[in-house]
Amino acid sequence: MNGWMGIIGTCVTVAGVIVTGWFTYRGTRTAAAIQSGPAAEQSKFTVLEATVTRVDSENKELRTGQRRLESLLRAFAWTTDRWARQMHEAGIEPEPAHPLVDEYNRTGV
C-alpha cells in the first residue's frame, strides 16, 4: 500500500506542478502584455508624430512651390497681355491664344 500511495502522491505533485506552471505562464504573459501596452502605444504615437511632422514639412514645401508657380503664371499672363496690346496698337494681329489661355484670362484659374 505504501508503494501505491507514493505513486499517487507523485502523480498529484506532477499534476500540481503542471497546473501551477500553466497559471504562471498565463499570468506572466498577461502581465507582459499589460506592461508593454503603454510602451507599444508610446512607440506608435512617436512614429505617428514623426510622420505628421514630415508630411507637414512636405506640404509646406509644396504650398510654397505652388504659390511661386501661380505668381509666375500671373506675371507671364500680364506680360503676354501687355505684348498683345502693343501688337494691336501697332496694327499687328497676333495669333489667337490657346483655349487654356483664354480660360485662364476669363477665370483666373
Side-chain angles (χ1 to χ4, degrees):
M1 204 148 210
N2 275 342
W4 286 102
M5 292 299 255
I7 292 173
I8 292 173
T10 302
C11 288
V12 169
T13 302
V14 168
V17 168
I18 290 172
V19 170
T20 301
W22 182 71
F23 278 119
T24 302
Y25 167 75
R26 278 190 52 201
T28 303
R29 205 175 81 202
T30 303
I34 290 171
Q35 277 187 336
S36 69
E41 291 298 316
Q42 180 61 37
S43 173
K44 289 178 187 177
F45 180 72
T46 302
V47 169
L48 178 63
E49 197 171 36
T51 302
V52 167
T53 301
R54 180 184 54 82
V55 169
D56 281 348
S57 173
E58 289 174 359
N59 283 344
K60 183 179 179 183
E61 290 174 17
L62 288 172
R63 277 190 235 113
T64 301
Q66 183 178 357
R67 279 190 209 108
R68 177 73 179 131
L69 186 60
E70 288 171 351
S71 296
L72 177 64
L73 177 62
R74 226 176 276 112
F76 181 76
W78 290 335
T79 301
T80 55
D81 184 54
R82 190 182 75 231
W83 290 342
R85 271 187 280 126
Q86 288 174 351
M87 290 175 72
H88 281 297
E89 290 170 2
I92 303 169
E93 190 60 36
E95 291 287 323
H98 188 278
L100 289 176
V101 174
D102 282 338
E103 181 182 346
Y104 176 79
N105 286 335
R106 271 194 333 274
T107 63
V109 181

